Amino acid sequence: MICNFMQNTIEKKVHLELLGIDGNAWSIMGAFRGKAKKEGWSEEEIRNVLEEARSGDYSHLLQTIQEHCV
């Protein structure tokens, strides 16, 4: 289930190329967190995306992170 926050900010993206990042879930989330922080996302925005990413399996994590990357 996607929370209301996610539905309201789905257009917000970070400039992150996932290709070449270690496929480990923690590496992917760390890369996302670092880039989002550098691009001015609030801790709450980052936390909400990562909570949603962790709410399912590995495929869900990848899909959620990819939805927030350009």
Side-chain angles (χ1 to χ4, degrees):
M1 181 175 151
I2 297 177
C3 65
N4 288 336
F5 174 84
M6 296 294 288
Q7 291 173 349
N8 293 335
T9 62
I10 198 73
E11 295 303 316
K12 193 162 189 178
K13 310 273 187 191
V14 295
H15 295 89
L16 177 65
E17 176 62 53
L18 294 177
L19 245 153
I21 295 176
D22 181 348
N24 175 298
W26 294 108
S27 295
I28 293 167
M29 290 187 297
F32 174 83
R33 175 183 287 284
K35 192 66 169 173
K37 202 173 219 178
K38 285 181 184 176
E39 293 186 13
W41 286 42
S42 71
E43 278 301 316
E44 182 180 5
E45 290 171 322
I46 295 168
R47 184 176 50 250
N48 285 333
V49 170
L50 294 179
E51 283 178 6
E52 175 60 30
R54 289 190 304 261
S55 72
D57 61 8
Y58 181 75
S59 292
H60 179 76
L61 181 136
L62 285 178
Q63 181 181 359
T64 302
I65 298 295
Q66 285 177 330
E67 287 174 359
H68 291 84
C69 294
V70 290

Short mmCIF file of all heavy atoms in Angstrom, two decimals:
data_model
loop_
_atom_site.label_atom_id
_atom_site.label_comp_id
_atom_site.label_asym_id
_atom_site.label_seq_id
_atom_site.Cartn_x
_atom_site.Cartn_y
_atom_site.Cartn_z
N MET A 1 0.84 -1.18 0.00
CA MET A 1 0.00 0.00 0.00
C MET A 1 0.88 1.24 0.00
O MET A 1 1.84 1.34 0.74
CB MET A 1 -0.87 -0.02 1.25
CG MET A 1 -1.80 1.15 1.34
SD MET A 1 -2.88 0.95 2.77
CE MET A 1 -3.16 2.63 3.14
N ILE A 2 0.55 2.19 -0.84
CA ILE A 2 1.31 3.43 -0.91
C ILE A 2 0.61 4.45 -0.02
O ILE A 2 -0.58 4.68 -0.13
CB ILE A 2 1.40 3.95 -2.36
CG1 ILE A 2 2.15 2.94 -3.22
CG2 ILE A 2 2.05 5.31 -2.40
CD1 ILE A 2 2.25 3.31 -4.67
N CYS A 3 1.39 5.08 0.85
CA CYS A 3 0.81 6.07 1.75
C CYS A 3 0.48 7.35 0.98
O CYS A 3 0.97 7.58 -0.11
CB CYS A 3 1.74 6.35 2.91
SG CYS A 3 3.29 7.12 2.44
N ASN A 4 -0.34 8.20 1.57
CA ASN A 4 -0.73 9.44 0.92
C ASN A 4 0.47 10.30 0.57
O ASN A 4 0.50 10.96 -0.45
CB ASN A 4 -1.68 10.24 1.82
CG ASN A 4 -3.04 9.60 1.90
OD1 ASN A 4 -3.42 8.86 1.00
ND2 ASN A 4 -3.76 9.88 2.95
N PHE A 5 1.49 10.31 1.44
CA PHE A 5 2.69 11.09 1.15
C PHE A 5 3.28 10.69 -0.19
O PHE A 5 3.62 11.53 -1.00
CB PHE A 5 3.73 10.89 2.26
CG PHE A 5 5.02 11.57 1.93
CD1 PHE A 5 5.19 12.91 2.20
CD2 PHE A 5 6.05 10.88 1.33
CE1 PHE A 5 6.38 13.56 1.88
CE2 PHE A 5 7.23 11.52 1.01
CZ PHE A 5 7.40 12.86 1.29
N MET A 6 3.39 9.40 -0.43
CA MET A 6 3.98 8.91 -1.67
C MET A 6 3.15 9.34 -2.87
O MET A 6 3.69 9.73 -3.88
CB MET A 6 4.12 7.39 -1.64
CG MET A 6 5.06 6.87 -0.58
SD MET A 6 6.75 7.35 -0.86
CE MET A 6 7.10 6.29 -2.24
N GLN A 7 1.84 9.28 -2.75
CA GLN A 7 0.98 9.68 -3.85
C GLN A 7 1.14 11.17 -4.14
O GLN A 7 1.07 11.59 -5.28
CB GLN A 7 -0.47 9.34 -3.53
CG GLN A 7 -0.72 7.85 -3.50
CD GLN A 7 -2.11 7.51 -3.01
OE1 GLN A 7 -2.84 8.34 -2.49
NE2 GLN A 7 -2.48 6.25 -3.17
N ASN A 8 1.37 11.97 -3.13
CA ASN A 8 1.49 13.41 -3.30
C ASN A 8 2.84 13.84 -3.83
O ASN A 8 2.96 14.92 -4.38
CB ASN A 8 1.22 14.13 -1.97
CG ASN A 8 -0.21 13.98 -1.53
OD1 ASN A 8 -1.11 13.78 -2.34
ND2 ASN A 8 -0.44 14.07 -0.24
N THR A 9 3.88 13.04 -3.67
CA THR A 9 5.22 13.47 -4.06
C THR A 9 5.85 12.55 -5.10
O THR A 9 7.04 12.61 -5.32
CB THR A 9 6.15 13.54 -2.84
OG1 THR A 9 6.25 12.25 -2.28
CG2 THR A 9 5.66 14.55 -1.84
N ILE A 10 5.07 11.73 -5.76
CA ILE A 10 5.62 10.76 -6.71
C ILE A 10 6.42 11.46 -7.82
O ILE A 10 7.32 10.87 -8.39
CB ILE A 10 4.51 9.86 -7.28
CG1 ILE A 10 5.12 8.61 -7.91
CG2 ILE A 10 3.64 10.60 -8.27
CD1 ILE A 10 5.63 7.63 -6.93
N GLU A 11 6.14 12.72 -8.09
CA GLU A 11 6.86 13.44 -9.13
C GLU A 11 8.24 13.91 -8.67
O GLU A 11 9.05 14.29 -9.49
CB GLU A 11 6.03 14.63 -9.61
CG GLU A 11 4.74 14.24 -10.29
CD GLU A 11 4.93 13.32 -11.49
OE1 GLU A 11 5.84 13.58 -12.31
OE2 GLU A 11 4.19 12.34 -11.59
N LYS A 12 8.49 13.92 -7.39
CA LYS A 12 9.79 14.36 -6.89
C LYS A 12 10.83 13.28 -7.19
O LYS A 12 10.61 12.11 -6.90
CB LYS A 12 9.72 14.63 -5.39
CG LYS A 12 10.91 15.39 -4.88
CD LYS A 12 10.62 16.02 -3.54
CE LYS A 12 11.76 16.93 -3.18
NZ LYS A 12 11.54 17.61 -1.92
N LYS A 13 11.93 13.67 -7.79
CA LYS A 13 12.95 12.72 -8.23
C LYS A 13 14.34 13.18 -7.82
O LYS A 13 14.58 14.37 -7.67
CB LYS A 13 12.94 12.60 -9.76
CG LYS A 13 11.60 12.36 -10.40
CD LYS A 13 11.27 10.92 -10.47
CE LYS A 13 9.97 10.74 -11.26
NZ LYS A 13 9.46 9.43 -11.16
N VAL A 14 15.23 12.21 -7.64
CA VAL A 14 16.65 12.51 -7.46
C VAL A 14 17.37 12.11 -8.74
O VAL A 14 16.90 11.26 -9.49
CB VAL A 14 17.27 11.77 -6.25
CG1 VAL A 14 16.67 12.22 -4.96
CG2 VAL A 14 17.17 10.28 -6.40
N HIS A 15 18.49 12.73 -8.98
CA HIS A 15 19.30 12.40 -10.15
C HIS A 15 20.29 11.31 -9.74
O HIS A 15 21.39 11.61 -9.27
CB HIS A 15 20.01 13.65 -10.67
CG HIS A 15 19.05 14.66 -11.18
ND1 HIS A 15 18.48 15.62 -10.38
CD2 HIS A 15 18.53 14.83 -12.41
CE1 HIS A 15 17.66 16.35 -11.10
NE2 HIS A 15 17.66 15.89 -12.34
N LEU A 16 19.86 10.08 -9.87
CA LEU A 16 20.65 8.94 -9.44
C LEU A 16 20.55 7.83 -10.46
O LEU A 16 19.45 7.40 -10.82
CB LEU A 16 20.15 8.44 -8.08
CG LEU A 16 20.81 7.19 -7.51
CD1 LEU A 16 22.28 7.46 -7.19
CD2 LEU A 16 20.07 6.72 -6.25
N GLU A 17 21.68 7.37 -10.93
CA GLU A 17 21.74 6.24 -11.85
C GLU A 17 21.99 4.98 -11.02
O GLU A 17 23.04 4.85 -10.39
CB GLU A 17 22.88 6.44 -12.86
CG GLU A 17 23.09 5.30 -13.80
CD GLU A 17 21.90 4.99 -14.68
OE1 GLU A 17 21.40 5.92 -15.34
OE2 GLU A 17 21.46 3.83 -14.70
N LEU A 18 21.02 4.09 -11.01
CA LEU A 18 21.15 2.88 -10.20
C LEU A 18 22.10 1.86 -10.82
O LEU A 18 22.65 1.02 -10.10
CB LEU A 18 19.77 2.25 -9.96
CG LEU A 18 18.81 3.08 -9.11
CD1 LEU A 18 17.46 2.39 -9.01
CD2 LEU A 18 19.38 3.33 -7.73
N LEU A 19 22.29 1.94 -12.12
CA LEU A 19 23.21 1.02 -12.78
C LEU A 19 24.61 1.24 -12.23
O LEU A 19 25.09 2.35 -12.12
CB LEU A 19 23.23 1.30 -14.28
CG LEU A 19 22.71 0.17 -15.14
CD1 LEU A 19 22.16 0.71 -16.42
CD2 LEU A 19 23.75 -0.86 -15.36
N GLY A 20 25.24 0.18 -11.82
CA GLY A 20 26.60 0.28 -11.29
C GLY A 20 26.67 0.31 -9.77
O GLY A 20 27.73 0.15 -9.20
N ILE A 21 25.52 0.55 -9.13
CA ILE A 21 25.48 0.51 -7.66
C ILE A 21 25.39 -0.95 -7.24
O ILE A 21 24.67 -1.73 -7.86
CB ILE A 21 24.28 1.31 -7.12
CG1 ILE A 21 24.43 2.79 -7.45
CG2 ILE A 21 24.12 1.12 -5.61
CD1 ILE A 21 23.25 3.65 -7.04
N ASP A 22 26.10 -1.31 -6.20
CA ASP A 22 26.01 -2.65 -5.64
C ASP A 22 24.53 -3.00 -5.48
O ASP A 22 23.75 -2.20 -5.00
CB ASP A 22 26.72 -2.67 -4.28
CG ASP A 22 26.71 -4.01 -3.59
OD1 ASP A 22 25.97 -4.92 -4.03
OD2 ASP A 22 27.44 -4.16 -2.61
N GLY A 23 24.13 -4.19 -5.88
CA GLY A 23 22.73 -4.61 -5.85
C GLY A 23 22.19 -4.89 -4.46
O GLY A 23 21.01 -5.19 -4.30
N ASN A 24 23.02 -4.77 -3.45
CA ASN A 24 22.60 -4.97 -2.08
C ASN A 24 21.56 -3.90 -1.72
O ASN A 24 21.75 -2.72 -2.01
CB ASN A 24 23.85 -4.84 -1.20
CG ASN A 24 23.56 -4.90 0.27
OD1 ASN A 24 22.84 -4.07 0.81
ND2 ASN A 24 24.16 -5.88 0.92
N ALA A 25 20.47 -4.31 -1.07
CA ALA A 25 19.39 -3.39 -0.72
C ALA A 25 19.90 -2.21 0.11
O ALA A 25 19.49 -1.06 -0.10
CB ALA A 25 18.29 -4.13 0.03
N TRP A 26 20.80 -2.48 1.05
CA TRP A 26 21.32 -1.40 1.90
C TRP A 26 22.15 -0.41 1.08
O TRP A 26 22.10 0.80 1.33
CB TRP A 26 22.15 -1.98 3.05
CG TRP A 26 21.31 -2.78 3.99
CD1 TRP A 26 21.30 -4.13 4.13
CD2 TRP A 26 20.30 -2.28 4.88
NE1 TRP A 26 20.36 -4.51 5.07
CE2 TRP A 26 19.74 -3.38 5.55
CE3 TRP A 26 19.83 -1.02 5.18
CZ2 TRP A 26 18.73 -3.26 6.49
CZ3 TRP A 26 18.82 -0.88 6.12
CH2 TRP A 26 18.28 -1.99 6.77
N SER A 27 22.89 -0.89 0.10
CA SER A 27 23.68 0.00 -0.77
C SER A 27 22.76 0.89 -1.61
O SER A 27 23.02 2.08 -1.77
CB SER A 27 24.58 -0.81 -1.71
OG SER A 27 25.54 -1.52 -0.98
N ILE A 28 21.71 0.31 -2.13
CA ILE A 28 20.75 1.06 -2.94
C ILE A 28 20.08 2.14 -2.10
O ILE A 28 20.00 3.31 -2.51
CB ILE A 28 19.71 0.11 -3.57
CG1 ILE A 28 20.40 -0.80 -4.59
CG2 ILE A 28 18.57 0.89 -4.20
CD1 ILE A 28 19.57 -1.98 -5.04
N MET A 29 19.62 1.77 -0.91
CA MET A 29 18.97 2.75 -0.04
C MET A 29 19.95 3.83 0.40
O MET A 29 19.59 5.01 0.48
CB MET A 29 18.32 2.06 1.15
CG MET A 29 17.12 1.22 0.78
SD MET A 29 16.20 0.57 2.19
CE MET A 29 17.42 -0.50 2.95
N GLY A 30 21.19 3.45 0.67
CA GLY A 30 22.20 4.42 1.07
C GLY A 30 22.51 5.40 -0.04
O GLY A 30 22.66 6.61 0.21
N ALA A 31 22.62 4.91 -1.26
CA ALA A 31 22.87 5.78 -2.40
C ALA A 31 21.70 6.75 -2.60
O ALA A 31 21.91 7.95 -2.85
CB ALA A 31 23.10 4.95 -3.67
N PHE A 32 20.49 6.23 -2.47
CA PHE A 32 19.31 7.09 -2.60
C PHE A 32 19.31 8.16 -1.51
O PHE A 32 19.11 9.34 -1.79
CB PHE A 32 18.02 6.26 -2.54
CG PHE A 32 16.80 7.13 -2.53
CD1 PHE A 32 16.28 7.63 -3.72
CD2 PHE A 32 16.19 7.49 -1.34
CE1 PHE A 32 15.17 8.47 -3.71
CE2 PHE A 32 15.08 8.32 -1.32
CZ PHE A 32 14.57 8.81 -2.52
N ARG A 33 19.52 7.74 -0.26
CA ARG A 33 19.51 8.68 0.86
C ARG A 33 20.54 9.79 0.65
O ARG A 33 20.25 10.97 0.81
CB ARG A 33 19.80 7.97 2.18
CG ARG A 33 19.93 8.93 3.37
CD ARG A 33 20.27 8.23 4.65
NE ARG A 33 19.15 7.49 5.19
CZ ARG A 33 18.11 8.04 5.81
NH1 ARG A 33 18.04 9.35 5.94
NH2 ARG A 33 17.15 7.29 6.28
N GLY A 34 21.76 9.41 0.29
CA GLY A 34 22.82 10.39 0.11
C GLY A 34 22.51 11.39 -1.00
O GLY A 34 22.70 12.60 -0.84
N LYS A 35 22.02 10.89 -2.11
CA LYS A 35 21.72 11.77 -3.24
C LYS A 35 20.53 12.67 -2.93
O LYS A 35 20.54 13.87 -3.24
CB LYS A 35 21.45 10.93 -4.49
CG LYS A 35 21.42 11.73 -5.75
CD LYS A 35 22.77 12.32 -6.07
CE LYS A 35 22.76 12.88 -7.47
NZ LYS A 35 23.95 13.61 -7.80
N ALA A 36 19.48 12.11 -2.31
CA ALA A 36 18.31 12.91 -1.96
C ALA A 36 18.69 14.02 -0.98
O ALA A 36 18.23 15.16 -1.11
CB ALA A 36 17.22 12.01 -1.37
N LYS A 37 19.54 13.70 -0.03
CA LYS A 37 20.00 14.68 0.95
C LYS A 37 20.75 15.82 0.25
O LYS A 37 20.51 17.00 0.52
CB LYS A 37 20.89 14.00 1.97
CG LYS A 37 21.02 14.70 3.27
CD LYS A 37 21.80 13.83 4.24
CE LYS A 37 21.17 13.98 5.60
NZ LYS A 37 21.79 13.16 6.61
N LYS A 38 21.64 15.46 -0.68
CA LYS A 38 22.40 16.46 -1.43
C LYS A 38 21.50 17.34 -2.28
O LYS A 38 21.82 18.49 -2.55
CB LYS A 38 23.43 15.79 -2.34
CG LYS A 38 24.63 15.27 -1.61
CD LYS A 38 25.62 14.64 -2.56
CE LYS A 38 26.77 14.05 -1.78
NZ LYS A 38 27.71 13.34 -2.64
N GLU A 39 20.36 16.78 -2.72
CA GLU A 39 19.45 17.52 -3.58
C GLU A 39 18.34 18.24 -2.78
O GLU A 39 17.38 18.72 -3.36
CB GLU A 39 18.86 16.60 -4.64
CG GLU A 39 19.94 16.14 -5.62
CD GLU A 39 19.41 15.33 -6.79
OE1 GLU A 39 18.18 15.30 -7.02
OE2 GLU A 39 20.25 14.73 -7.49
N GLY A 40 18.49 18.29 -1.47
CA GLY A 40 17.61 19.12 -0.67
C GLY A 40 16.33 18.49 -0.15
O GLY A 40 15.44 19.19 0.33
N TRP A 41 16.22 17.16 -0.25
CA TRP A 41 15.04 16.50 0.31
C TRP A 41 15.09 16.60 1.83
O TRP A 41 16.17 16.53 2.43
CB TRP A 41 15.01 15.03 -0.08
CG TRP A 41 14.65 14.75 -1.52
CD1 TRP A 41 15.06 15.41 -2.63
CD2 TRP A 41 13.82 13.69 -1.97
NE1 TRP A 41 14.55 14.83 -3.74
CE2 TRP A 41 13.78 13.76 -3.37
CE3 TRP A 41 13.14 12.67 -1.33
CZ2 TRP A 41 13.05 12.87 -4.14
CZ3 TRP A 41 12.41 11.77 -2.10
CH2 TRP A 41 12.37 11.87 -3.49
N SER A 42 13.93 16.70 2.45
CA SER A 42 13.87 16.71 3.91
C SER A 42 14.06 15.28 4.43
O SER A 42 13.85 14.31 3.69
CB SER A 42 12.52 17.25 4.38
OG SER A 42 11.48 16.32 4.11
N GLU A 43 14.44 15.17 5.68
CA GLU A 43 14.58 13.84 6.29
C GLU A 43 13.26 13.09 6.26
O GLU A 43 13.23 11.87 6.06
CB GLU A 43 15.08 13.96 7.73
CG GLU A 43 16.58 14.13 7.84
CD GLU A 43 17.36 12.98 7.22
OE1 GLU A 43 17.01 11.79 7.42
OE2 GLU A 43 18.35 13.26 6.52
N GLU A 44 12.16 13.79 6.44
CA GLU A 44 10.84 13.15 6.41
C GLU A 44 10.54 12.58 5.02
O GLU A 44 10.05 11.46 4.89
CB GLU A 44 9.75 14.14 6.80
CG GLU A 44 8.36 13.50 6.82
CD GLU A 44 7.27 14.47 7.22
OE1 GLU A 44 7.54 15.68 7.40
OE2 GLU A 44 6.13 14.01 7.35
N GLU A 45 10.85 13.33 3.97
CA GLU A 45 10.63 12.84 2.61
C GLU A 45 11.46 11.60 2.35
O GLU A 45 10.96 10.60 1.81
CB GLU A 45 10.98 13.93 1.60
CG GLU A 45 10.02 15.08 1.59
CD GLU A 45 10.50 16.24 0.74
OE1 GLU A 45 11.71 16.53 0.71
OE2 GLU A 45 9.63 16.87 0.10
N ILE A 46 12.73 11.65 2.73
CA ILE A 46 13.62 10.50 2.52
C ILE A 46 13.11 9.30 3.32
O ILE A 46 13.02 8.19 2.79
CB ILE A 46 15.06 10.86 2.93
CG1 ILE A 46 15.62 11.95 2.00
CG2 ILE A 46 15.96 9.62 2.91
CD1 ILE A 46 16.91 12.58 2.48
N ARG A 47 12.80 9.52 4.57
CA ARG A 47 12.32 8.44 5.44
C ARG A 47 11.05 7.80 4.87
O ARG A 47 10.93 6.58 4.84
CB ARG A 47 12.06 8.98 6.84
CG ARG A 47 11.66 7.91 7.84
CD ARG A 47 11.49 8.42 9.26
NE ARG A 47 10.65 9.61 9.35
CZ ARG A 47 11.09 10.84 9.65
NH1 ARG A 47 12.37 11.05 9.89
NH2 ARG A 47 10.26 11.86 9.71
N ASN A 48 10.13 8.61 4.36
CA ASN A 48 8.89 8.06 3.81
C ASN A 48 9.14 7.18 2.59
O ASN A 48 8.54 6.12 2.44
CB ASN A 48 7.90 9.17 3.48
CG ASN A 48 7.24 9.75 4.70
OD1 ASN A 48 7.10 9.08 5.72
ND2 ASN A 48 6.85 11.00 4.63
N VAL A 49 10.03 7.62 1.71
CA VAL A 49 10.36 6.80 0.54
C VAL A 49 11.01 5.50 0.98
O VAL A 49 10.64 4.41 0.51
CB VAL A 49 11.28 7.57 -0.44
CG1 VAL A 49 11.81 6.64 -1.54
CG2 VAL A 49 10.54 8.75 -1.05
N LEU A 50 11.97 5.57 1.90
CA LEU A 50 12.67 4.36 2.33
C LEU A 50 11.76 3.43 3.11
O LEU A 50 11.88 2.20 2.98
CB LEU A 50 13.92 4.73 3.13
CG LEU A 50 15.00 5.46 2.34
CD1 LEU A 50 16.17 5.82 3.23
CD2 LEU A 50 15.45 4.65 1.13
N GLU A 51 10.85 3.96 3.90
CA GLU A 51 9.89 3.11 4.61
C GLU A 51 9.01 2.36 3.62
O GLU A 51 8.74 1.17 3.78
CB GLU A 51 9.03 3.93 5.58
CG GLU A 51 9.76 4.30 6.85
CD GLU A 51 8.92 5.17 7.78
OE1 GLU A 51 7.72 5.41 7.50
OE2 GLU A 51 9.48 5.61 8.80
N GLU A 52 8.56 3.07 2.59
CA GLU A 52 7.74 2.42 1.57
C GLU A 52 8.58 1.36 0.85
O GLU A 52 8.11 0.25 0.60
CB GLU A 52 7.21 3.44 0.57
CG GLU A 52 6.47 2.83 -0.60
CD GLU A 52 5.24 2.02 -0.20
OE1 GLU A 52 4.60 2.31 0.83
OE2 GLU A 52 4.92 1.05 -0.93
N ALA A 53 9.82 1.67 0.54
CA ALA A 53 10.69 0.72 -0.16
C ALA A 53 10.87 -0.56 0.66
O ALA A 53 10.86 -1.66 0.11
CB ALA A 53 12.04 1.36 -0.45
N ARG A 54 11.01 -0.41 1.97
CA ARG A 54 11.22 -1.58 2.84
C ARG A 54 9.94 -2.32 3.17
O ARG A 54 10.00 -3.39 3.79
CB ARG A 54 11.88 -1.12 4.15
CG ARG A 54 13.32 -0.70 3.99
CD ARG A 54 13.99 -0.49 5.34
NE ARG A 54 13.29 0.47 6.17
CZ ARG A 54 13.62 1.75 6.32
NH1 ARG A 54 14.65 2.24 5.68
NH2 ARG A 54 12.92 2.53 7.11
N SER A 55 8.80 -1.81 2.76
CA SER A 55 7.54 -2.43 3.15
C SER A 55 7.20 -3.69 2.36
O SER A 55 6.20 -4.35 2.64
CB SER A 55 6.39 -1.43 3.02
OG SER A 55 6.08 -1.18 1.65
N GLY A 56 8.02 -4.03 1.38
CA GLY A 56 7.76 -5.22 0.57
C GLY A 56 9.03 -6.01 0.38
O GLY A 56 9.97 -5.92 1.16
N ASP A 57 9.06 -6.76 -0.70
CA ASP A 57 10.23 -7.58 -1.00
C ASP A 57 11.27 -6.76 -1.77
O ASP A 57 11.11 -5.55 -1.98
CB ASP A 57 9.82 -8.84 -1.78
CG ASP A 57 9.16 -8.53 -3.12
OD1 ASP A 57 9.14 -7.35 -3.55
OD2 ASP A 57 8.66 -9.48 -3.75
N TYR A 58 12.34 -7.41 -2.18
CA TYR A 58 13.43 -6.74 -2.88
C TYR A 58 12.94 -6.07 -4.16
O TYR A 58 13.34 -4.94 -4.46
CB TYR A 58 14.54 -7.75 -3.19
CG TYR A 58 15.73 -7.16 -3.90
CD1 TYR A 58 16.64 -6.37 -3.21
CD2 TYR A 58 15.93 -7.39 -5.25
CE1 TYR A 58 17.75 -5.83 -3.86
CE2 TYR A 58 17.03 -6.85 -5.92
CZ TYR A 58 17.93 -6.06 -5.21
OH TYR A 58 19.01 -5.52 -5.86
N SER A 59 12.06 -6.72 -4.90
CA SER A 59 11.52 -6.13 -6.13
C SER A 59 10.76 -4.84 -5.83
O SER A 59 10.86 -3.86 -6.58
CB SER A 59 10.60 -7.11 -6.85
OG SER A 59 11.34 -8.20 -7.34
N HIS A 60 10.01 -4.85 -4.74
CA HIS A 60 9.27 -3.65 -4.35
C HIS A 60 10.24 -2.53 -3.98
O HIS A 60 10.03 -1.37 -4.34
CB HIS A 60 8.33 -3.97 -3.17
CG HIS A 60 7.56 -2.77 -2.70
ND1 HIS A 60 6.48 -2.27 -3.38
CD2 HIS A 60 7.74 -1.97 -1.62
CE1 HIS A 60 6.02 -1.21 -2.74
NE2 HIS A 60 6.77 -1.01 -1.66
N LEU A 61 11.30 -2.87 -3.29
CA LEU A 61 12.32 -1.89 -2.93
C LEU A 61 12.89 -1.24 -4.19
O LEU A 61 12.95 -0.01 -4.29
CB LEU A 61 13.44 -2.55 -2.12
CG LEU A 61 14.54 -1.60 -1.67
CD1 LEU A 61 14.91 -1.88 -0.22
CD2 LEU A 61 15.76 -1.71 -2.55
N LEU A 62 13.29 -2.06 -5.16
CA LEU A 62 13.85 -1.52 -6.40
C LEU A 62 12.85 -0.64 -7.14
O LEU A 62 13.19 0.45 -7.60
CB LEU A 62 14.29 -2.66 -7.32
CG LEU A 62 15.56 -3.37 -6.96
CD1 LEU A 62 15.83 -4.50 -7.95
CD2 LEU A 62 16.74 -2.41 -6.91
N GLN A 63 11.62 -1.10 -7.24
CA GLN A 63 10.59 -0.34 -7.94
C GLN A 63 10.35 1.01 -7.27
O GLN A 63 10.26 2.04 -7.93
CB GLN A 63 9.29 -1.14 -8.00
CG GLN A 63 8.18 -0.41 -8.73
CD GLN A 63 6.89 -1.20 -8.76
OE1 GLN A 63 6.80 -2.31 -8.24
NE2 GLN A 63 5.88 -0.62 -9.35
N THR A 64 10.27 1.02 -5.96
CA THR A 64 10.02 2.25 -5.23
C THR A 64 11.16 3.24 -5.43
O THR A 64 10.93 4.42 -5.71
CB THR A 64 9.83 1.96 -3.72
OG1 THR A 64 8.74 1.05 -3.57
CG2 THR A 64 9.54 3.23 -2.95
N ILE A 65 12.39 2.77 -5.30
CA ILE A 65 13.54 3.66 -5.48
C ILE A 65 13.60 4.16 -6.92
O ILE A 65 13.79 5.36 -7.17
CB ILE A 65 14.86 2.96 -5.09
CG1 ILE A 65 14.86 2.56 -3.61
CG2 ILE A 65 16.07 3.84 -5.43
CD1 ILE A 65 14.82 3.69 -2.62
N GLN A 66 13.37 3.28 -7.89
CA GLN A 66 13.40 3.68 -9.30
C GLN A 66 12.36 4.73 -9.62
O GLN A 66 12.60 5.61 -10.44
CB GLN A 66 13.21 2.46 -10.20
CG GLN A 66 14.43 1.59 -10.29
CD GLN A 66 14.20 0.35 -11.12
OE1 GLN A 66 13.09 -0.17 -11.20
NE2 GLN A 66 15.26 -0.15 -11.73
N GLU A 67 11.22 4.65 -8.97
CA GLU A 67 10.15 5.64 -9.20
C GLU A 67 10.57 7.03 -8.77
O GLU A 67 9.97 8.02 -9.18
CB GLU A 67 8.88 5.24 -8.46
CG GLU A 67 8.16 4.08 -9.07
CD GLU A 67 6.98 3.60 -8.24
OE1 GLU A 67 6.71 4.15 -7.15
OE2 GLU A 67 6.31 2.66 -8.70
N HIS A 68 11.59 7.11 -7.93
CA HIS A 68 12.04 8.41 -7.42
C HIS A 68 13.40 8.81 -7.97
O HIS A 68 14.07 9.67 -7.42
CB HIS A 68 12.06 8.37 -5.89
CG HIS A 68 10.68 8.32 -5.32
ND1 HIS A 68 9.98 7.15 -5.17
CD2 HIS A 68 9.86 9.31 -4.93
CE1 HIS A 68 8.79 7.43 -4.69
NE2 HIS A 68 8.69 8.74 -4.53
N CYS A 69 13.82 8.19 -9.07
CA CYS A 69 15.11 8.50 -9.69
C CYS A 69 14.92 8.87 -11.15
O CYS A 69 14.04 8.33 -11.83
CB CYS A 69 16.05 7.30 -9.62
SG CYS A 69 16.55 6.85 -7.97
N VAL A 70 15.78 9.78 -11.60
CA VAL A 70 15.84 10.11 -13.03
C VAL A 70 17.25 9.89 -13.50
O VAL A 70 18.19 9.87 -12.76
CB VAL A 70 15.41 11.56 -13.37
CG1 VAL A 70 13.94 11.72 -13.16
CG2 VAL A 70 16.20 12.57 -12.60
#
